[in-house]
Amino acid sequence: MNKAMLKTMAAMAAVAAFMLPSAGRIAAAADAAPSAAAAPAPAPDEPGTRKFTLVSVEIDNTKFWLPSVIAVEQGDKVTLTLKNMVPGAGPSNQHGFTIPAYNIAEIVTPDAPKTVTFVADKPGLFQYFCQLHLAHIGGTLIVEPKK
């Protein structure tokens, strides 16, 4: 395994260990963000399109992009709606979202959700995170090879 994959897995394990002991924190995250458990179905009029809403939240002074894992198939058109739900106002409450492998870099403020659309044309594991605040916890885009 390469170092980036090990770091991603370690970060995901740390998040799970952090969140599981406290039902209150999990409930707060569930209220603020959609569940990562079920992948959205393609829109009926657009086969091969996957739509996700990713939400930046703060739990116990730690900021996360949730869900922390999204999965698509190579060739899918992916539409991400990015929402900043971190409490606060003004320019200091901007948070970034980037997937460097797909040349995506956005800045999201609480009052202005962003929509990003791209084609997942290369298989693999791709990290997403806040490029403005590297200490924040991001996630992983899984692009499964076309079968």
Side-chain angles (χ1 to χ4, degrees):
M1 265 188 237
N2 66 33
K3 288 183 183 181
M5 185 182 296
L6 287 173
K7 285 181 183 179
T8 299
M9 291 172 60
M12 290 170 50
V15 170
F18 174 76
M19 293 182 80
L20 288 177
S22 174
R25 285 195 297 259
I26 293 171
D31 289 343
S35 170
D45 55 338
E46 295 184 56
T49 297
R50 301 288 184 250
K51 296 182 180 183
F52 299 89
T53 298
L54 284 89
V55 181
S56 179
V57 297
E58 183 175 355
I59 302 168
D60 289 343
N61 296 318
T62 302
K63 295 173 183 78
F64 299 85
W65 275 106
L66 297 176
S68 60
V69 177
I70 56 176
V72 300
E73 189 173 283
Q74 183 179 8
D76 283 347
K77 179 180 177 185
V78 180
T79 300
L80 305 176
T81 300
L82 309 172
K83 294 183 178 180
N84 180 352
M85 303 289 286
V86 174
S92 64
N93 195 20
Q94 294 179 333
H95 294 282
F97 179 88
T98 186
I99 306 175
Y102 282 95
N103 297 316
I104 295 168
E106 294 290 339
I107 305 221
V108 188
T109 57
D111 58 343
K114 299 274 178 129
T115 300
V116 175
T117 301
F118 64 98
V119 175
D121 58 356
K122 47 192 166 230
L125 300 173
F126 305 98
Q127 292 182 326
Y128 54 86
F129 53 91
C130 174
Q131 74 273 23
L132 303 177
H133 311 104
L134 296 178
H136 296 181
I137 297 174
T140 304
L141 165 66
I142 301 170
V143 181
E144 297 178 14
K146 191 94 170 157
K147 295 179 182 175

